[in-house]
Amino acid sequence: MADKPKRITDIGAPHFSKFLPPVIAKNYGKWKYHEVIDKGTMKHVSETGDELYTVRIATPRLVSTDYVREMCAYADKFSGGHLRWTTRHNVEFFPAKDQVEPLKTALKKDGHLVGGIGYGISNVVHTQGWIHCHTPATDASGVVKAVMDELHEYFTTKTLPARVRIALACCLNMCGAVHCSDIAILGIHRKPPKVNEATIANQCEIPTTIASCPTGAIAPNPAAKSVKIKEERCMYCGNCYTMCPSLPLADAHGDGISIYVGGKVSNARGVPRMSKLAIPFLPNNPPRWPEVVQAVKHIVEVYAKDARKHERMGEWIERIGWERFFKLTGIPFTYQHIDDFTFARDTFRMTPTFKWE
Amino acid sequence: MSKDGKTPMLDDLEKGAWPSFVKEIKKAAVKSNTAKDLLNILERSYRDKVTHWKHGGIVGVLGYGGGVIGRYCDLPEEYPGVAHFHTVRINQPAGNYYTSNALRELMDIWDKYGSGLTNMHGSTGDLVLLGTQTDKLEAIFAETTAKGWDLGGSGSCLRTPSCCVGNSRCEFSNIDSMEICDTLTHKFQDELHRPAFPYKFKIKVSGCANDCTAAIARADMSIIGTWRDDIRIDQAEVKNCSKDMDIKTEVCDMCPTHCMSWDGSTLKINNKDCTRCMHCINRMPKALRPGKEKGATIMLGGKAPIVTGALMSWVIVPFMKLEKPFDNIEDLIRKLWEWWDEHGKNRERIGELVDRMGMRSMLESTGLPPVPQMVKAPRSNPYVFWSPEDVK
């Protein structure tokens, strides 16, 4: 290239002030209250009396450049060229009051789902899966699509006792940090890594590989310049594979999905809490993962029927007790449900006061 | 891909009400062989039930140690379009606001050099450009920086900080979360682009205890807005709210500290007992507002399970005023990094280091005093360490 542009580095992200709609720039820090108008529309009112309308739609997270251009076209036509993404992969537009309904009509006509606000199911935070990741135990986008095809009405119209945050991580690395979600869909491996003796000496540093195992399941095998796996100690976290590509543990039969429930990050009413194991394993059954879809739907429906207003899934379960959660959902309780890792003892019941079911 | 290039399993995911990522890959595949082979190799994964991506090699742009994730497929002869499929992380603007013009510029660059597929956004917060080749990276970097964008973090570095909408559109916000996020991002450019830590370090900023960025679950440093004085009450609006809801059941009875009462005409709050959980304010945003003496609670240690189990952040500073230029929080973060740098093992997150070495070591080296707000309860075991100075 003749006129190569000058190399620029370390400029960081552009300052957000370049992108704010004028009504937001003017009322920054002055917002007084908001109203949820419907599942896809909010109104914020400022101390100055100014009003801001927000319309929200779901995206599939993995999108094409043309999809982004389509969003830009809505923004140009209805939202002064301004738009934003939420932390849960939704898009938001900021139409003037008289443009709210025309925008929603246009979005719906083009097949977009308007919603995601308030008590229901918002978009599913998720990871890359088979699209792009080297350690997944399942796909991400496909599972989310299958689950939300079934539950999309909770995004657009139906309400639940409180918010139900669903998130998916395709392995224990949890790029999606799903461990504090109302329903966490988590890809898991169930078979120990297989040592690739042909490559390990060249590909991996043996001491760091041994040190990477949280349960001490990897021992040196100096004669072969390799390692041995104490298989009974392995809980398939995959940390060794991250450190050493010669220890693959992906397996079409061994891999699948587990479901954790009852976590949240909001501090409202009660402190944040981690999701806990409900279903230890469901098979990978692409393209629609019917077992996973049915399991998630069933848990949502039992919760919807039994929980009190404003009660998040974890708060509901704590009120009724885990023993009743398993009874109501009919989910079998197994060895896998009883913790045997770092914080296990905290989860044992140190009192004879419990419910029979 | 079956021999005829058909993708029947993925085609099924074009059906249904929820927006389809398969449609998006197909849109990109019209223009890009990379996207076309992504579709084909993904169909193969759906059939084989395993991934076809190998460990990433180290790729990047000159002078940076992160921001690009190297990715190669394990079947390059069959799927040459995705032999290389590297990811470029673009640092998102705080609050994820964009103008259509700025986004179109980015998309044009991406169509020129990449698959035409993107994640809006990745889990940490970056705008993720998905799928390009090693020889395109410098050109992508040159063109995006010329338009005012920079790369995000990857590897053992400060990962791209992220935040909630804060003051821009939320009356609950107690701190200027977007300005804090942007300022820290710029103060720490070197730490963000050149990995030199024991492991990754994430910063997330939420304006209130609703924690819309999931900072407590997902960030090593969680900055959570709060206030120190009394909740502001508009009694007339409380009365209005009582027309649509049962304030006693839905608000007072659900208050975790039982610090509120409602007699049908006046709402009383015993603010000394309030722990600022946000439930009552969430329920009655027109009637109740956070106090005026605002700042943040600083929490440390949150992370996902790898390596020794998931942790949630805990309090290390109960209240910190956060105002421009935010030097106090910068100073604290630098001290924490220094301590972590000195003691942390390879791939040990700062929360795990506190677990291993104890809070005291961290508190002493950062100069933070021990206070009861840091713990749910003091210890019950008698295995107490005393230093020689303690027993002088």
Side-chain angles (χ1 to χ4, degrees), chain A residues 94-130:
Chain A
F94 311 104
K97 187 177 183 181
D98 61 354
Q99 292 297 300
V100 171
E101 286 312 316
L103 169 60
K104 278 155 65 177
T105 306
L107 288 165
K108 285 178 188 168
K109 186 169 151 271
D110 296 342
H112 296 292
L113 299 184
V114 179
I117 297 171
Y119 285 180
I121 299 177
S122 186
N123 211 331
V124 180
V125 168
H126 62 279
T127 54
Q128 302 287 22
W130 294 334

mmCIF file of all heavy atoms in Angstrom, chain A residues 94-130:
data_model
loop_
_atom_site.group_PDB
_atom_site.id
_atom_site.type_symbol
_atom_site.label_atom_id
_atom_site.label_comp_id
_atom_site.label_asym_id
_atom_site.label_seq_id
_atom_site.Cartn_x
_atom_site.Cartn_y
_atom_site.Cartn_z
ATOM 1 N N PHE A 94 -33.816 4.381 20.886
ATOM 2 C CA PHE A 94 -34.326 5.495 21.694
ATOM 3 C C PHE A 94 -35.223 6.410 20.856
ATOM 4 O O PHE A 94 -34.828 7.520 20.503
ATOM 5 C CB PHE A 94 -33.152 6.290 22.280
ATOM 6 C CG PHE A 94 -32.131 5.410 22.944
ATOM 7 C CD1 PHE A 94 -30.921 5.132 22.325
ATOM 8 C CD2 PHE A 94 -32.400 4.828 24.175
ATOM 9 C CE1 PHE A 94 -29.987 4.302 22.920
ATOM 10 C CE2 PHE A 94 -31.470 3.993 24.776
ATOM 11 C CZ PHE A 94 -30.257 3.734 24.147
ATOM 12 N N PRO A 95 -36.414 5.937 20.509
ATOM 13 C CA PRO A 95 -37.270 6.739 19.646
ATOM 14 C C PRO A 95 -37.942 7.882 20.416
ATOM 15 O O PRO A 95 -38.140 7.770 21.630
ATOM 16 C CB PRO A 95 -38.323 5.728 19.186
ATOM 17 C CG PRO A 95 -38.399 4.743 20.304
ATOM 18 C CD PRO A 95 -37.018 4.656 20.888
ATOM 19 N N ALA A 96 -38.290 8.955 19.710
ATOM 20 C CA ALA A 96 -39.145 9.989 20.301
ATOM 21 C C ALA A 96 -40.505 9.355 20.570
ATOM 22 O O ALA A 96 -40.852 8.317 19.991
ATOM 23 C CB ALA A 96 -39.277 11.166 19.349
ATOM 24 N N LYS A 97 -41.275 9.993 21.460
ATOM 25 C CA LYS A 97 -42.542 9.399 21.909
ATOM 26 C C LYS A 97 -43.417 8.968 20.729
ATOM 27 O O LYS A 97 -43.960 7.861 20.719
ATOM 28 C CB LYS A 97 -43.285 10.416 22.780
ATOM 29 C CG LYS A 97 -44.521 9.841 23.434
ATOM 30 C CD LYS A 97 -45.186 10.871 24.342
ATOM 31 C CE LYS A 97 -46.391 10.243 25.038
ATOM 32 N NZ LYS A 97 -47.066 11.197 25.908
ATOM 33 N N ASP A 98 -43.541 9.834 19.722
ATOM 34 C CA ASP A 98 -44.454 9.508 18.618
ATOM 35 C C ASP A 98 -43.856 8.470 17.659
ATOM 36 O O ASP A 98 -44.525 8.033 16.726
ATOM 37 C CB ASP A 98 -44.860 10.778 17.854
ATOM 38 C CG ASP A 98 -43.665 11.482 17.227
ATOM 39 O OD1 ASP A 98 -42.508 11.057 17.476
ATOM 40 O OD2 ASP A 98 -43.875 12.463 16.490
ATOM 41 N N GLN A 99 -42.602 8.080 17.895
ATOM 42 C CA GLN A 99 -41.982 7.068 17.040
ATOM 43 C C GLN A 99 -41.948 5.681 17.685
ATOM 44 O O GLN A 99 -41.534 4.702 17.055
ATOM 45 C CB GLN A 99 -40.547 7.496 16.691
ATOM 46 C CG GLN A 99 -40.466 8.703 15.786
ATOM 47 C CD GLN A 99 -41.108 8.427 14.428
ATOM 48 O OE1 GLN A 99 -40.690 7.536 13.701
ATOM 49 N NE2 GLN A 99 -42.180 9.177 14.107
ATOM 50 N N VAL A 100 -42.391 5.603 18.952
ATOM 51 C CA VAL A 100 -42.317 4.324 19.674
ATOM 52 C C VAL A 100 -43.131 3.251 18.965
ATOM 53 O O VAL A 100 -42.608 2.171 18.641
ATOM 54 C CB VAL A 100 -42.789 4.486 21.143
ATOM 55 C CG1 VAL A 100 -42.928 3.125 21.820
ATOM 56 C CG2 VAL A 100 -41.819 5.365 21.918
ATOM 57 N N GLU A 101 -44.391 3.557 18.703
ATOM 58 C CA GLU A 101 -45.250 2.539 18.081
ATOM 59 C C GLU A 101 -44.833 2.237 16.640
ATOM 60 O O GLU A 101 -44.756 1.063 16.266
ATOM 61 C CB GLU A 101 -46.730 2.931 18.186
ATOM 62 C CG GLU A 101 -47.311 2.767 19.595
ATOM 63 C CD GLU A 101 -47.011 1.420 20.254
ATOM 64 O OE1 GLU A 101 -47.140 0.381 19.581
ATOM 65 O OE2 GLU A 101 -46.616 1.402 21.443
ATOM 66 N N PRO A 102 -44.561 3.268 15.814
ATOM 67 C CA PRO A 102 -44.077 2.957 14.456
ATOM 68 C C PRO A 102 -42.823 2.085 14.458
ATOM 69 O O PRO A 102 -42.693 1.164 13.654
ATOM 70 C CB PRO A 102 -43.786 4.340 13.853
ATOM 71 C CG PRO A 102 -44.660 5.277 14.600
ATOM 72 C CD PRO A 102 -44.786 4.719 15.983
ATOM 73 N N LEU A 103 -41.885 2.346 15.388
ATOM 74 C CA LEU A 103 -40.667 1.524 15.460
ATOM 75 C C LEU A 103 -41.011 0.083 15.821
ATOM 76 O O LEU A 103 -40.538 -0.861 15.177
ATOM 77 C CB LEU A 103 -39.692 2.113 16.494
ATOM 78 C CG LEU A 103 -38.497 1.224 16.874
ATOM 79 C CD1 LEU A 103 -37.626 0.904 15.663
ATOM 80 C CD2 LEU A 103 -37.651 1.885 17.967
ATOM 81 N N LYS A 104 -41.848 -0.074 16.846
ATOM 82 C CA LYS A 104 -42.201 -1.435 17.264
ATOM 83 C C LYS A 104 -42.922 -2.182 16.149
ATOM 84 O O LYS A 104 -42.663 -3.374 15.914
ATOM 85 C CB LYS A 104 -43.054 -1.393 18.534
ATOM 86 C CG LYS A 104 -42.187 -1.245 19.777
ATOM 87 C CD LYS A 104 -42.860 -0.620 20.954
ATOM 88 C CE LYS A 104 -43.977 -1.360 21.568
ATOM 89 N NZ LYS A 104 -44.492 -0.661 22.765
ATOM 90 N N THR A 105 -43.791 -1.481 15.452
ATOM 91 C CA THR A 105 -44.510 -2.109 14.332
ATOM 92 C C THR A 105 -43.520 -2.563 13.259
ATOM 93 O O THR A 105 -43.606 -3.676 12.749
ATOM 94 C CB THR A 105 -45.525 -1.109 13.740
ATOM 95 O OG1 THR A 105 -46.347 -0.637 14.814
ATOM 96 C CG2 THR A 105 -46.395 -1.755 12.687
ATOM 97 N N ALA A 106 -42.575 -1.682 12.933
ATOM 98 C CA ALA A 106 -41.588 -2.022 11.896
ATOM 99 C C ALA A 106 -40.741 -3.212 12.327
ATOM 100 O O ALA A 106 -40.497 -4.141 11.550
ATOM 101 C CB ALA A 106 -40.702 -0.817 11.610
ATOM 102 N N LEU A 107 -40.294 -3.199 13.597
ATOM 103 C CA LEU A 107 -39.451 -4.299 14.091
ATOM 104 C C LEU A 107 -40.206 -5.622 14.052
ATOM 105 O O LEU A 107 -39.680 -6.645 13.607
ATOM 106 C CB LEU A 107 -38.996 -4.007 15.532
ATOM 107 C CG LEU A 107 -37.953 -2.902 15.708
ATOM 108 C CD1 LEU A 107 -37.874 -2.456 17.168
ATOM 109 C CD2 LEU A 107 -36.577 -3.354 15.221
ATOM 110 N N LYS A 108 -41.451 -5.591 14.515
ATOM 111 C CA LYS A 108 -42.239 -6.835 14.550
ATOM 112 C C LYS A 108 -42.526 -7.330 13.140
ATOM 113 O O LYS A 108 -42.480 -8.536 12.876
ATOM 114 C CB LYS A 108 -43.540 -6.605 15.317
ATOM 115 C CG LYS A 108 -43.337 -6.519 16.823
ATOM 116 C CD LYS A 108 -44.652 -6.232 17.537
ATOM 117 C CE LYS A 108 -44.421 -5.962 19.014
ATOM 118 N NZ LYS A 108 -45.612 -5.417 19.683
ATOM 119 N N LYS A 109 -42.805 -6.386 12.238
ATOM 120 C CA LYS A 109 -43.093 -6.763 10.853
ATOM 121 C C LYS A 109 -41.887 -7.496 10.243
ATOM 122 O O LYS A 109 -42.046 -8.439 9.471
ATOM 123 C CB LYS A 109 -43.407 -5.496 10.054
ATOM 124 C CG LYS A 109 -43.868 -5.747 8.634
ATOM 125 C CD LYS A 109 -44.419 -4.475 8.002
ATOM 126 C CE LYS A 109 -44.219 -4.510 6.492
ATOM 127 N NZ LYS A 109 -42.925 -3.957 6.051
ATOM 128 N N ASP A 110 -40.690 -7.064 10.621
ATOM 129 C CA ASP A 110 -39.480 -7.700 10.096
ATOM 130 C C ASP A 110 -39.084 -8.950 10.879
ATOM 131 O O ASP A 110 -37.994 -9.491 10.688
ATOM 132 C CB ASP A 110 -38.310 -6.704 10.113
ATOM 133 C CG ASP A 110 -38.569 -5.522 9.176
ATOM 134 O OD1 ASP A 110 -39.448 -5.645 8.303
ATOM 135 O OD2 ASP A 110 -37.909 -4.480 9.340
ATOM 136 N N GLY A 111 -39.935 -9.373 11.804
ATOM 137 C CA GLY A 111 -39.687 -10.634 12.504
ATOM 138 C C GLY A 111 -38.868 -10.520 13.773
ATOM 139 O O GLY A 111 -38.466 -11.533 14.345
ATOM 140 N N HIS A 112 -38.583 -9.307 14.227
ATOM 141 C CA HIS A 112 -37.797 -9.166 15.463
ATOM 142 C C HIS A 112 -38.692 -9.322 16.687
ATOM 143 O O HIS A 112 -39.875 -8.994 16.651
ATOM 144 C CB HIS A 112 -37.097 -7.811 15.487
ATOM 145 C CG HIS A 112 -36.084 -7.665 14.394
ATOM 146 N ND1 HIS A 112 -34.923 -8.397 14.370
ATOM 147 C CD2 HIS A 112 -36.084 -6.907 13.271
ATOM 148 C CE1 HIS A 112 -34.228 -8.089 13.280
ATOM 149 N NE2 HIS A 112 -34.912 -7.187 12.593
ATOM 150 N N LEU A 113 -38.100 -9.816 17.764
ATOM 151 C CA LEU A 113 -38.846 -10.012 19.002
ATOM 152 C C LEU A 113 -38.616 -8.818 19.921
ATOM 153 O O LEU A 113 -37.502 -8.585 20.394
ATOM 154 C CB LEU A 113 -38.397 -11.293 19.705
ATOM 155 C CG LEU A 113 -38.601 -12.597 18.931
ATOM 156 C CD1 LEU A 113 -38.203 -13.790 19.794
ATOM 157 C CD2 LEU A 113 -40.042 -12.743 18.463
ATOM 158 N N VAL A 114 -39.693 -8.064 20.154
ATOM 159 C CA VAL A 114 -39.619 -6.910 21.050
ATOM 160 C C VAL A 114 -39.939 -7.401 22.454
ATOM 161 O O VAL A 114 -40.959 -8.070 22.654
ATOM 162 C CB VAL A 114 -40.632 -5.828 20.610
ATOM 163 C CG1 VAL A 114 -40.588 -4.631 21.555
ATOM 164 C CG2 VAL A 114 -40.355 -5.384 19.171
ATOM 165 N N GLY A 115 -39.077 -7.118 23.419
ATOM 166 C CA GLY A 115 -39.348 -7.574 24.790
ATOM 167 C C GLY A 115 -38.106 -7.581 25.649
ATOM 168 O O GLY A 115 -37.186 -6.788 25.434
ATOM 169 N N GLY A 116 -38.124 -8.475 26.640
ATOM 170 C CA GLY A 116 -36.940 -8.663 27.480
ATOM 171 C C GLY A 116 -36.876 -7.787 28.716
ATOM 172 O O GLY A 116 -35.907 -7.841 29.457
ATOM 173 N N ILE A 117 -37.937 -6.959 28.940
ATOM 174 C CA ILE A 117 -37.903 -6.057 30.097
ATOM 175 C C ILE A 117 -38.814 -6.617 31.197
ATOM 176 O O ILE A 117 -39.903 -7.104 30.914
ATOM 177 C CB ILE A 117 -38.358 -4.637 29.680
ATOM 178 C CG1 ILE A 117 -37.379 -4.048 28.654
ATOM 179 C CG2 ILE A 117 -38.484 -3.719 30.896
ATOM 180 C CD1 ILE A 117 -37.829 -2.746 28.019
ATOM 181 N N GLY A 118 -38.354 -6.549 32.436
ATOM 182 C CA GLY A 118 -39.199 -6.906 33.577
ATOM 183 C C GLY A 118 -39.230 -8.395 33.869
ATOM 184 O O GLY A 118 -38.273 -9.120 33.571
ATOM 185 N N TYR A 119 -40.340 -8.837 34.481
ATOM 186 C CA TYR A 119 -40.435 -10.197 35.000
ATOM 187 C C TYR A 119 -40.722 -11.206 33.886
ATOM 188 O O TYR A 119 -41.855 -11.391 33.459
ATOM 189 C CB TYR A 119 -41.516 -10.270 36.074
ATOM 190 C CG TYR A 119 -41.102 -9.664 37.400
ATOM 191 C CD1 TYR A 119 -41.979 -9.648 38.480
ATOM 192 C CD2 TYR A 119 -39.834 -9.118 37.585
ATOM 193 C CE1 TYR A 119 -41.611 -9.104 39.703
ATOM 194 C CE2 TYR A 119 -39.454 -8.576 38.803
ATOM 195 C CZ TYR A 119 -40.344 -8.576 39.863
ATOM 196 O OH TYR A 119 -39.977 -8.050 41.070
ATOM 197 N N GLY A 120 -39.702 -11.869 33.433
ATOM 198 C CA GLY A 120 -39.820 -12.871 32.389
ATOM 199 C C GLY A 120 -38.430 -13.399 32.125
ATOM 200 O O GLY A 120 -37.582 -13.426 33.019
ATOM 201 N N ILE A 121 -38.197 -13.802 30.869
ATOM 202 C CA ILE A 121 -36.868 -14.305 30.514
ATOM 203 C C ILE A 121 -36.253 -13.363 29.485
ATOM 204 O O ILE A 121 -36.817 -13.169 28.412
ATOM 205 C CB ILE A 121 -36.960 -15.739 29.947
ATOM 206 C CG1 ILE A 121 -37.556 -16.681 31.008
ATOM 207 C CG2 ILE A 121 -35.580 -16.229 29.508
ATOM 208 C CD1 ILE A 121 -37.759 -18.103 30.529
ATOM 209 N N SER A 122 -35.139 -12.764 29.828
ATOM 210 C CA SER A 122 -34.431 -11.913 28.871
ATOM 211 C C SER A 122 -33.510 -12.796 28.030
ATOM 212 O O SER A 122 -33.544 -14.017 28.121
ATOM 213 C CB SER A 122 -33.662 -10.820 29.598
ATOM 214 O OG SER A 122 -33.094 -9.930 28.655
ATOM 215 N N ASN A 123 -32.707 -12.162 27.208
ATOM 216 C CA ASN A 123 -31.815 -12.920 26.329
ATOM 217 C C ASN A 123 -30.855 -13.792 27.158
ATOM 218 O O ASN A 123 -30.596 -13.506 28.325
ATOM 219 C CB ASN A 123 -31.030 -11.954 25.445
ATOM 220 C CG ASN A 123 -30.697 -12.563 24.098
ATOM 221 O OD1 ASN A 123 -30.555 -13.769 23.961
ATOM 222 N ND2 ASN A 123 -30.560 -11.729 23.088
ATOM 223 N N VAL A 124 -30.347 -14.829 26.538
ATOM 224 C CA VAL A 124 -29.496 -15.800 27.227
ATOM 225 C C VAL A 124 -28.026 -15.435 27.004
ATOM 226 O O VAL A 124 -27.538 -15.464 25.870
ATOM 227 C CB VAL A 124 -29.776 -17.223 26.700
ATOM 228 C CG1 VAL A 124 -28.885 -18.231 27.406
ATOM 229 C CG2 VAL A 124 -31.246 -17.579 26.889
ATOM 230 N N VAL A 125 -27.347 -15.088 28.082
ATOM 231 C CA VAL A 125 -25.901 -14.863 27.992
ATOM 232 C C VAL A 125 -25.255 -16.201 27.663
ATOM 233 O O VAL A 125 -25.561 -17.208 28.300
ATOM 234 C CB VAL A 125 -25.365 -14.318 29.329
ATOM 235 C CG1 VAL A 125 -23.847 -14.349 29.357
ATOM 236 C CG2 VAL A 125 -25.860 -12.898 29.561
ATOM 237 N N HIS A 126 -24.392 -16.224 26.635
ATOM 238 C CA HIS A 126 -23.779 -17.507 26.308
ATOM 239 C C HIS A 126 -22.421 -17.360 25.641
ATOM 240 O O HIS A 126 -21.959 -16.259 25.373
ATOM 241 C CB HIS A 126 -24.721 -18.356 25.460
ATOM 242 C CG HIS A 126 -25.091 -17.773 24.129
ATOM 243 N ND1 HIS A 126 -26.059 -16.829 23.997
ATOM 244 C CD2 HIS A 126 -24.637 -18.019 22.890
ATOM 245 C CE1 HIS A 126 -26.185 -16.510 22.708
ATOM 246 N NE2 HIS A 126 -25.318 -17.220 22.014
ATOM 247 N N THR A 127 -21.815 -18.490 25.392
ATOM 248 C CA THR A 127 -20.411 -18.542 24.963
ATOM 249 C C THR A 127 -20.333 -18.946 23.484
ATOM 250 O O THR A 127 -21.305 -18.811 22.763
ATOM 251 C CB THR A 127 -19.657 -19.530 25.859
ATOM 252 O OG1 THR A 127 -20.356 -20.785 25.825
ATOM 253 C CG2 THR A 127 -19.630 -19.047 27.295
ATOM 254 N N GLN A 128 -19.188 -19.468 23.039
ATOM 255 C CA GLN A 128 -19.001 -19.726 21.609
ATOM 256 C C GLN A 128 -19.324 -21.156 21.185
ATOM 257 O O GLN A 128 -19.729 -21.396 20.060
ATOM 258 C CB GLN A 128 -17.546 -19.432 21.208
ATOM 259 C CG GLN A 128 -17.082 -18.018 21.489
ATOM 260 C CD GLN A 128 -17.674 -17.000 20.535
ATOM 261 O OE1 GLN A 128 -18.703 -17.221 19.918
ATOM 262 N NE2 GLN A 128 -17.016 -15.864 20.412
ATOM 263 N N GLY A 129 -19.079 -22.125 22.052
ATOM 264 C CA GLY A 129 -19.340 -23.518 21.697
ATOM 265 C C GLY A 129 -18.563 -23.967 20.480
ATOM 266 O O GLY A 129 -17.407 -23.589 20.272
ATOM 267 N N TRP A 130 -19.219 -24.765 19.662
ATOM 268 C CA TRP A 130 -18.553 -25.351 18.498
ATOM 269 C C TRP A 130 -18.305 -24.319 17.398
ATOM 270 O O TRP A 130 -17.642 -24.622 16.408
ATOM 271 C CB TRP A 130 -19.402 -26.522 17.963
ATOM 272 C CG TRP A 130 -19.486 -27.670 18.922
ATOM 273 C CD1 TRP A 130 -18.584 -28.005 19.891
ATOM 274 C CD2 TRP A 130 -20.530 -28.648 19.008
ATOM 275 N NE1 TRP A 130 -19.000 -29.126 20.568
ATOM 276 C CE2 TRP A 130 -20.184 -29.552 20.045
ATOM 277 C CE3 TRP A 130 -21.726 -28.866 18.313
ATOM 278 C CZ2 TRP A 130 -20.993 -30.635 20.404
ATOM 279 C CZ3 TRP A 130 -22.526 -29.950 18.663
ATOM 280 C CH2 TRP A 130 -22.156 -30.819 19.697
#
